Amino acid sequence: LTSGVPILEALSVVSGTAGNMVVQNAVAAVADRVKQGAQMSEHLGDSGVFPEMVVSMVAVGEESGATDTMLSKIAEFYDEQVESTTKKLASLIEPLLIVTVGSIFGFLIVAMYMPTFQIFNLIK
């Protein structure tokens, strides 16, 4: 939208590249309704796919004439949210991986030295 792509064409591109059939169908339905003259924000909420915050921000963008700016802010917000969630997940998995790798090495060390200890018992 910022570079001058018409809203219907932008919705068509988003629908084709969504990678998720539910989102693809919802965006296609919104595009059909926008063709009929309705506002995009009215029908984003009807699909049940998009969060209420997205619908509200798109509505504000449509009313103020800055839909492209609002969509950019929504994208930035969700990018930050994904990054934060990824960092949290990594911090939760890291201790588990350390314990798992340590257990594997401990098992290998015990498996290597166990025959040596058994030989000492046989010598006595």
Side-chain angles (χ1 to χ4, degrees):
L1 295 177
T2 302
S3 62
V5 176
I7 187 74
L8 290 175
E9 190 174 332
L11 287 172
S12 174
V13 169
V14 168
S15 174
T17 60
N20 183 332
M21 287 302 289
V22 175
V23 174
Q24 184 175 356
N25 293 337
V27 172
V30 169
D32 288 340
R33 291 181 181 148
V34 169
K35 281 181 190 176
Q36 298 170 358
Q39 287 192 346
M40 185 170 54
S41 60
E42 294 174 3
H43 300 290
L44 283 175
D46 293 343
S47 67
V49 174
F50 303 100
E52 186 61 35
M53 182 192 77
V54 171
V55 176
S56 299
M57 289 186 75
V58 169
V60 169
E62 288 177 333
E63 290 174 12
S64 66
T67 307
D68 56 342
T69 305
M70 284 299 171
L71 290 172
S72 294
K73 288 183 181 184
I74 292 168
E76 288 174 13
F77 171 76
Y78 282 110
D79 282 343
E80 290 173 6
Q81 192 173 23
V82 166
E83 186 177 330
S84 172
T85 303
T86 304
K87 285 182 181 179
K88 287 178 185 176
L89 183 62
S91 68
L92 290 174
I93 290 176
E94 185 178 352
L96 180 65
L97 286 175
I98 290 172
V99 168
T100 303
V101 171
S103 299
I104 291 171
F105 280 125
F107 175 77
L108 290 174
I109 289 173
V110 168
M112 287 172 44
Y113 284 112
M114 188 61 83
T116 306
F117 293 139
Q118 289 177 352
I119 289 174
F120 287 141
N121 287 339
L122 290 175
I123 293 174
K124 290 182 181 181

PDB file of all heavy atoms in Angstrom, residues 24-54:
ATOM      1  N   GLN A  24      -5.934 -17.572   4.064  1.00  0.00           N
ATOM      2  CA  GLN A  24      -6.123 -17.322   2.637  1.00  0.00           C
ATOM      3  C   GLN A  24      -7.609 -17.134   2.317  1.00  0.00           C
ATOM      4  O   GLN A  24      -7.978 -16.189   1.623  1.00  0.00           O
ATOM      5  CB  GLN A  24      -5.564 -18.501   1.831  1.00  0.00           C
ATOM      6  CG  GLN A  24      -5.616 -18.317   0.340  1.00  0.00           C
ATOM      7  CD  GLN A  24      -4.945 -19.466  -0.395  1.00  0.00           C
ATOM      8  OE1 GLN A  24      -4.373 -20.359   0.218  1.00  0.00           O
ATOM      9  NE2 GLN A  24      -5.023 -19.443  -1.698  1.00  0.00           N
ATOM     10  N   ASN A  25      -8.453 -18.002   2.846  1.00  0.00           N
ATOM     11  CA  ASN A  25      -9.892 -17.880   2.604  1.00  0.00           C
ATOM     12  C   ASN A  25     -10.472 -16.626   3.244  1.00  0.00           C
ATOM     13  O   ASN A  25     -11.329 -15.961   2.662  1.00  0.00           O
ATOM     14  CB  ASN A  25     -10.623 -19.123   3.107  1.00  0.00           C
ATOM     15  CG  ASN A  25     -10.277 -20.362   2.303  1.00  0.00           C
ATOM     16  OD1 ASN A  25      -9.853 -20.266   1.156  1.00  0.00           O
ATOM     17  ND2 ASN A  25     -10.438 -21.514   2.914  1.00  0.00           N
ATOM     18  N   ALA A  26     -10.001 -16.285   4.440  1.00  0.00           N
ATOM     19  CA  ALA A  26     -10.496 -15.088   5.121  1.00  0.00           C
ATOM     20  C   ALA A  26     -10.116 -13.825   4.352  1.00  0.00           C
ATOM     21  O   ALA A  26     -10.946 -12.922   4.175  1.00  0.00           O
ATOM     22  CB  ALA A  26      -9.957 -15.029   6.545  1.00  0.00           C
ATOM     23  N   VAL A  27      -8.877 -13.755   3.878  1.00  0.00           N
ATOM     24  CA  VAL A  27      -8.431 -12.574   3.131  1.00  0.00           C
ATOM     25  C   VAL A  27      -9.164 -12.493   1.796  1.00  0.00           C
ATOM     26  O   VAL A  27      -9.545 -11.404   1.350  1.00  0.00           O
ATOM     27  CB  VAL A  27      -6.900 -12.584   2.942  1.00  0.00           C
ATOM     28  CG1 VAL A  27      -6.453 -11.477   2.013  1.00  0.00           C
ATOM     29  CG2 VAL A  27      -6.201 -12.444   4.288  1.00  0.00           C
ATOM     30  N   ALA A  28      -9.397 -13.626   1.156  1.00  0.00           N
ATOM     31  CA  ALA A  28     -10.136 -13.630  -0.108  1.00  0.00           C
ATOM     32  C   ALA A  28     -11.571 -13.143   0.111  1.00  0.00           C
ATOM     33  O   ALA A  28     -12.104 -12.383  -0.709  1.00  0.00           O
ATOM     34  CB  ALA A  28     -10.129 -15.023  -0.725  1.00  0.00           C
ATOM     35  N   ALA A  29     -12.186 -13.557   1.224  1.00  0.00           N
ATOM     36  CA  ALA A  29     -13.540 -13.097   1.533  1.00  0.00           C
ATOM     37  C   ALA A  29     -13.553 -11.596   1.801  1.00  0.00           C
ATOM     38  O   ALA A  29     -14.473 -10.882   1.368  1.00  0.00           O
ATOM     39  CB  ALA A  29     -14.086 -13.860   2.739  1.00  0.00           C
ATOM     40  N   VAL A  30     -12.552 -11.098   2.500  1.00  0.00           N
ATOM     41  CA  VAL A  30     -12.453  -9.651   2.760  1.00  0.00           C
ATOM     42  C   VAL A  30     -12.275  -8.909   1.440  1.00  0.00           C
ATOM     43  O   VAL A  30     -12.902  -7.871   1.216  1.00  0.00           O
ATOM     44  CB  VAL A  30     -11.292  -9.350   3.741  1.00  0.00           C
ATOM     45  CG1 VAL A  30     -11.001  -7.867   3.797  1.00  0.00           C
ATOM     46  CG2 VAL A  30     -11.618  -9.885   5.122  1.00  0.00           C
ATOM     47  N   ALA A  31     -11.454  -9.447   0.553  1.00  0.00           N
ATOM     48  CA  ALA A  31     -11.246  -8.801  -0.749  1.00  0.00           C
ATOM     49  C   ALA A  31     -12.542  -8.739  -1.541  1.00  0.00           C
ATOM     50  O   ALA A  31     -12.841  -7.717  -2.170  1.00  0.00           O
ATOM     51  CB  ALA A  31     -10.174  -9.552  -1.540  1.00  0.00           C
ATOM     52  N   ASP A  32     -13.328  -9.817  -1.495  1.00  0.00           N
ATOM     53  CA  ASP A  32     -14.614  -9.814  -2.204  1.00  0.00           C
ATOM     54  C   ASP A  32     -15.552  -8.746  -1.647  1.00  0.00           C
ATOM     55  O   ASP A  32     -16.247  -8.060  -2.398  1.00  0.00           O
ATOM     56  CB  ASP A  32     -15.276 -11.186  -2.107  1.00  0.00           C
ATOM     57  CG  ASP A  32     -14.573 -12.234  -2.949  1.00  0.00           C
ATOM     58  OD1 ASP A  32     -13.842 -11.851  -3.886  1.00  0.00           O
ATOM     59  OD2 ASP A  32     -14.750 -13.439  -2.662  1.00  0.00           O
ATOM     60  N   ARG A  33     -15.556  -8.601  -0.344  1.00  0.00           N
ATOM     61  CA  ARG A  33     -16.438  -7.603   0.279  1.00  0.00           C
ATOM     62  C   ARG A  33     -15.945  -6.185   0.018  1.00  0.00           C
ATOM     63  O   ARG A  33     -16.747  -5.262  -0.107  1.00  0.00           O
ATOM     64  CB  ARG A  33     -16.571  -7.889   1.757  1.00  0.00           C
ATOM     65  CG  ARG A  33     -17.349  -9.169   1.999  1.00  0.00           C
ATOM     66  CD  ARG A  33     -17.508  -9.465   3.455  1.00  0.00           C
ATOM     67  NE  ARG A  33     -18.233 -10.715   3.639  1.00  0.00           N
ATOM     68  CZ  ARG A  33     -18.049 -11.542   4.645  1.00  0.00           C
ATOM     69  NH1 ARG A  33     -17.155 -11.247   5.566  1.00  0.00           N
ATOM     70  NH2 ARG A  33     -18.741 -12.644   4.748  1.00  0.00           N
ATOM     71  N   VAL A  34     -14.624  -6.010  -0.053  1.00  0.00           N
ATOM     72  CA  VAL A  34     -14.080  -4.682  -0.361  1.00  0.00           C
ATOM     73  C   VAL A  34     -14.435  -4.306  -1.807  1.00  0.00           C
ATOM     74  O   VAL A  34     -14.716  -3.146  -2.099  1.00  0.00           O
ATOM     75  CB  VAL A  34     -12.553  -4.640  -0.105  1.00  0.00           C
ATOM     76  CG1 VAL A  34     -11.929  -3.377  -0.667  1.00  0.00           C
ATOM     77  CG2 VAL A  34     -12.271  -4.743   1.386  1.00  0.00           C
ATOM     78  N   LYS A  35     -14.465  -5.300  -2.702  1.00  0.00           N
ATOM     79  CA  LYS A  35     -14.875  -5.049  -4.087  1.00  0.00           C
ATOM     80  C   LYS A  35     -16.300  -4.501  -4.146  1.00  0.00           C
ATOM     81  O   LYS A  35     -16.632  -3.717  -5.018  1.00  0.00           O
ATOM     82  CB  LYS A  35     -14.815  -6.332  -4.916  1.00  0.00           C
ATOM     83  CG  LYS A  35     -13.460  -6.724  -5.375  1.00  0.00           C
ATOM     84  CD  LYS A  35     -13.538  -7.995  -6.218  1.00  0.00           C
ATOM     85  CE  LYS A  35     -12.163  -8.553  -6.482  1.00  0.00           C
ATOM     86  NZ  LYS A  35     -12.213  -9.841  -7.207  1.00  0.00           N
ATOM     87  N   GLN A  36     -17.113  -4.937  -3.188  1.00  0.00           N
ATOM     88  CA  GLN A  36     -18.508  -4.502  -3.151  1.00  0.00           C
ATOM     89  C   GLN A  36     -18.665  -3.140  -2.492  1.00  0.00           C
ATOM     90  O   GLN A  36     -19.766  -2.615  -2.412  1.00  0.00           O
ATOM     91  CB  GLN A  36     -19.359  -5.542  -2.419  1.00  0.00           C
ATOM     92  CG  GLN A  36     -19.361  -6.890  -3.095  1.00  0.00           C
ATOM     93  CD  GLN A  36     -19.991  -7.968  -2.238  1.00  0.00           C
ATOM     94  OE1 GLN A  36     -20.409  -7.722  -1.111  1.00  0.00           O
ATOM     95  NE2 GLN A  36     -20.044  -9.183  -2.767  1.00  0.00           N
ATOM     96  N   GLY A  37     -17.579  -2.574  -1.987  1.00  0.00           N
ATOM     97  CA  GLY A  37     -17.613  -1.235  -1.424  1.00  0.00           C
ATOM     98  C   GLY A  37     -17.584  -1.163   0.091  1.00  0.00           C
ATOM     99  O   GLY A  37     -17.705  -0.079   0.662  1.00  0.00           O
ATOM    100  N   ALA A  38     -17.428  -2.293   0.761  1.00  0.00           N
ATOM    101  CA  ALA A  38     -17.398  -2.301   2.221  1.00  0.00           C
ATOM    102  C   ALA A  38     -15.998  -1.953   2.709  1.00  0.00           C
ATOM    103  O   ALA A  38     -15.020  -2.007   1.962  1.00  0.00           O
ATOM    104  CB  ALA A  38     -17.804  -3.674   2.738  1.00  0.00           C
ATOM    105  N   GLN A  39     -15.922  -1.596   3.985  1.00  0.00           N
ATOM    106  CA  GLN A  39     -14.619  -1.328   4.584  1.00  0.00           C
ATOM    107  C   GLN A  39     -13.966  -2.643   4.982  1.00  0.00           C
ATOM    108  O   GLN A  39     -14.630  -3.591   5.394  1.00  0.00           O
ATOM    109  CB  GLN A  39     -14.748  -0.424   5.802  1.00  0.00           C
ATOM    110  CG  GLN A  39     -15.064   1.002   5.457  1.00  0.00           C
ATOM    111  CD  GLN A  39     -14.895   1.911   6.660  1.00  0.00           C
ATOM    112  OE1 GLN A  39     -14.791   1.449   7.785  1.00  0.00           O
ATOM    113  NE2 GLN A  39     -14.863   3.199   6.399  1.00  0.00           N
ATOM    114  N   MET A  40     -12.654  -2.665   4.870  1.00  0.00           N
ATOM    115  CA  MET A  40     -11.887  -3.870   5.163  1.00  0.00           C
ATOM    116  C   MET A  40     -12.023  -4.257   6.638  1.00  0.00           C
ATOM    117  O   MET A  40     -12.161  -5.443   6.961  1.00  0.00           O
ATOM    118  CB  MET A  40     -10.412  -3.641   4.806  1.00  0.00           C
ATOM    119  CG  MET A  40      -9.542  -4.840   4.963  1.00  0.00           C
ATOM    120  SD  MET A  40      -7.873  -4.669   4.294  1.00  0.00           S
ATOM    121  CE  MET A  40      -7.284  -3.214   5.081  1.00  0.00           C
ATOM    122  N   SER A  41     -11.997  -3.304   7.522  1.00  0.00           N
ATOM    123  CA  SER A  41     -12.018  -3.595   8.958  1.00  0.00           C
ATOM    124  C   SER A  41     -13.317  -4.257   9.400  1.00  0.00           C
ATOM    125  O   SER A  41     -13.309  -5.063  10.331  1.00  0.00           O
ATOM    126  CB  SER A  41     -11.791  -2.317   9.754  1.00  0.00           C
ATOM    127  OG  SER A  41     -12.805  -1.376   9.472  1.00  0.00           O
ATOM    128  N   GLU A  42     -14.415  -3.941   8.746  1.00  0.00           N
ATOM    129  CA  GLU A  42     -15.692  -4.540   9.130  1.00  0.00           C
ATOM    130  C   GLU A  42     -15.663  -6.052   8.968  1.00  0.00           C
ATOM    131  O   GLU A  42     -16.213  -6.791   9.774  1.00  0.00           O
ATOM    132  CB  GLU A  42     -16.823  -3.967   8.273  1.00  0.00           C
ATOM    133  CG  GLU A  42     -17.095  -2.503   8.491  1.00  0.00           C
ATOM    134  CD  GLU A  42     -18.127  -1.969   7.506  1.00  0.00           C
ATOM    135  OE1 GLU A  42     -18.658  -2.756   6.702  1.00  0.00           O
ATOM    136  OE2 GLU A  42     -18.383  -0.757   7.548  1.00  0.00           O
ATOM    137  N   HIS A  43     -15.024  -6.511   7.911  1.00  0.00           N
ATOM    138  CA  HIS A  43     -15.083  -7.925   7.590  1.00  0.00           C
ATOM    139  C   HIS A  43     -13.872  -8.698   8.087  1.00  0.00           C
ATOM    140  O   HIS A  43     -13.894  -9.929   8.087  1.00  0.00           O
ATOM    141  CB  HIS A  43     -15.271  -8.089   6.086  1.00  0.00           C
ATOM    142  CG  HIS A  43     -16.539  -7.446   5.624  1.00  0.00           C
ATOM    143  ND1 HIS A  43     -17.779  -7.949   5.936  1.00  0.00           N
ATOM    144  CD2 HIS A  43     -16.770  -6.316   4.925  1.00  0.00           C
ATOM    145  CE1 HIS A  43     -18.704  -7.168   5.434  1.00  0.00           C
ATOM    146  NE2 HIS A  43     -18.120  -6.158   4.818  1.00  0.00           N
ATOM    147  N   LEU A  44     -12.825  -8.015   8.517  1.00  0.00           N
ATOM    148  CA  LEU A  44     -11.708  -8.724   9.148  1.00  0.00           C
ATOM    149  C   LEU A  44     -12.171  -9.372  10.448  1.00  0.00           C
ATOM    150  O   LEU A  44     -11.789 -10.490  10.770  1.00  0.00           O
ATOM    151  CB  LEU A  44     -10.544  -7.774   9.424  1.00  0.00           C
ATOM    152  CG  LEU A  44      -9.667  -7.379   8.253  1.00  0.00           C
ATOM    153  CD1 LEU A  44      -8.636  -6.346   8.700  1.00  0.00           C
ATOM    154  CD2 LEU A  44      -8.982  -8.563   7.642  1.00  0.00           C
ATOM    155  N   GLY A  45     -12.986  -8.653  11.188  1.00  0.00           N
ATOM    156  CA  GLY A  45     -13.495  -9.171  12.457  1.00  0.00           C
ATOM    157  C   GLY A  45     -14.501 -10.294  12.268  1.00  0.00           C
ATOM    158  O   GLY A  45     -14.595 -11.203  13.082  1.00  0.00           O
ATOM    159  N   ASP A  46     -15.266 -10.252  11.170  1.00  0.00           N
ATOM    160  CA  ASP A  46     -16.269 -11.283  10.922  1.00  0.00           C
ATOM    161  C   ASP A  46     -15.649 -12.651  10.665  1.00  0.00           C
ATOM    162  O   ASP A  46     -16.256 -13.676  10.962  1.00  0.00           O
ATOM    163  CB  ASP A  46     -17.131 -10.903   9.710  1.00  0.00           C
ATOM    164  CG  ASP A  46     -17.989  -9.669   9.970  1.00  0.00           C
ATOM    165  OD1 ASP A  46     -18.160  -9.306  11.153  1.00  0.00           O
ATOM    166  OD2 ASP A  46     -18.475  -9.076   8.983  1.00  0.00           O
ATOM    167  N   SER A  47     -14.440 -12.662  10.122  1.00  0.00           N
ATOM    168  CA  SER A  47     -13.806 -13.941   9.785  1.00  0.00           C
ATOM    169  C   SER A  47     -13.424 -14.733  11.033  1.00  0.00           C
ATOM    170  O   SER A  47     -13.357 -15.953  10.985  1.00  0.00           O
ATOM    171  CB  SER A  47     -12.563 -13.704   8.935  1.00  0.00           C
ATOM    172  OG  SER A  47     -11.559 -13.051   9.686  1.00  0.00           O
ATOM    173  N   GLY A  48     -13.151 -14.062  12.130  1.00  0.00           N
ATOM    174  CA  GLY A  48     -12.740 -14.746  13.350  1.00  0.00           C
ATOM    175  C   GLY A  48     -11.294 -15.200  13.328  1.00  0.00           C
ATOM    176  O   GLY A  48     -10.835 -15.870  14.249  1.00  0.00           O
ATOM    177  N   VAL A  49     -10.563 -14.849  12.290  1.00  0.00           N
ATOM    178  CA  VAL A  49      -9.173 -15.275  12.147  1.00  0.00           C
ATOM    179  C   VAL A  49      -8.231 -14.255  12.752  1.00  0.00           C
ATOM    180  O   VAL A  49      -7.224 -14.607  13.358  1.00  0.00           O
ATOM    181  CB  VAL A  49      -8.831 -15.498  10.650  1.00  0.00           C
ATOM    182  CG1 VAL A  49      -7.366 -15.803  10.468  1.00  0.00           C
ATOM    183  CG2 VAL A  49      -9.688 -16.602  10.083  1.00  0.00           C
ATOM    184  N   PHE A  50      -8.555 -12.992  12.610  1.00  0.00           N
ATOM    185  CA  PHE A  50      -7.660 -11.912  13.010  1.00  0.00           C
ATOM    186  C   PHE A  50      -8.009 -11.412  14.407  1.00  0.00           C
ATOM    187  O   PHE A  50      -9.180 -11.287  14.757  1.00  0.00           O
ATOM    188  CB  PHE A  50      -7.746 -10.766  11.993  1.00  0.00           C
ATOM    189  CG  PHE A  50      -7.433 -11.202  10.599  1.00  0.00           C
ATOM    190  CD1 PHE A  50      -8.449 -11.464   9.685  1.00  0.00           C
ATOM    191  CD2 PHE A  50      -6.122 -11.414  10.203  1.00  0.00           C
ATOM    192  CE1 PHE A  50      -8.170 -11.891   8.408  1.00  0.00           C
ATOM    193  CE2 PHE A  50      -5.831 -11.843   8.922  1.00  0.00           C
ATOM    194  CZ  PHE A  50      -6.856 -12.088   8.028  1.00  0.00           C
ATOM    195  N   PRO A  51      -6.994 -11.104  15.216  1.00  0.00           N
ATOM    196  CA  PRO A  51      -7.235 -10.607  16.572  1.00  0.00           C
ATOM    197  C   PRO A  51      -7.960  -9.252  16.554  1.00  0.00           C
ATOM    198  O   PRO A  51      -7.883  -8.498  15.581  1.00  0.00           O
ATOM    199  CB  PRO A  51      -5.827 -10.441  17.158  1.00  0.00           C
ATOM    200  CG  PRO A  51      -4.935 -11.250  16.298  1.00  0.00           C
ATOM    201  CD  PRO A  51      -5.572 -11.295  14.952  1.00  0.00           C
ATOM    202  N   GLU A  52      -8.631  -8.967  17.630  1.00  0.00           N
ATOM    203  CA  GLU A  52      -9.403  -7.727  17.738  1.00  0.00           C
ATOM    204  C   GLU A  52      -8.514  -6.492  17.604  1.00  0.00           C
ATOM    205  O   GLU A  52      -8.930  -5.477  17.053  1.00  0.00           O
ATOM    206  CB  GLU A  52     -10.151  -7.698  19.076  1.00  0.00           C
ATOM    207  CG  GLU A  52     -11.102  -6.534  19.229  1.00  0.00           C
ATOM    208  CD  GLU A  52     -12.213  -6.537  18.183  1.00  0.00           C
ATOM    209  OE1 GLU A  52     -12.664  -7.622  17.795  1.00  0.00           O
ATOM    210  OE2 GLU A  52     -12.608  -5.422  17.757  1.00  0.00           O
ATOM    211  N   MET A  53      -7.279  -6.581  18.096  1.00  0.00           N
ATOM    212  CA  MET A  53      -6.361  -5.448  17.979  1.00  0.00           C
ATOM    213  C   MET A  53      -6.088  -5.116  16.514  1.00  0.00           C
ATOM    214  O   MET A  53      -6.040  -3.957  16.125  1.00  0.00           O
ATOM    215  CB  MET A  53      -5.037  -5.744  18.685  1.00  0.00           C
ATOM    216  CG  MET A  53      -4.068  -4.580  18.644  1.00  0.00           C
ATOM    217  SD  MET A  53      -2.408  -5.010  19.152  1.00  0.00           S
ATOM    218  CE  MET A  53      -1.809  -5.834  17.707  1.00  0.00           C
ATOM    219  N   VAL A  54      -5.918  -6.137  15.685  1.00  0.00           N
ATOM    220  CA  VAL A  54      -5.668  -5.924  14.263  1.00  0.00           C
ATOM    221  C   VAL A  54      -6.872  -5.247  13.622  1.00  0.00           C
ATOM    222  O   VAL A  54      -6.733  -4.286  12.864  1.00  0.00           O
ATOM    223  CB  VAL A  54      -5.344  -7.260  13.556  1.00  0.00           C
ATOM    224  CG1 VAL A  54      -5.292  -7.090  12.058  1.00  0.00           C
ATOM    225  CG2 VAL A  54      -4.036  -7.828  14.078  1.00  0.00           C
TER     226      VAL A  54
END
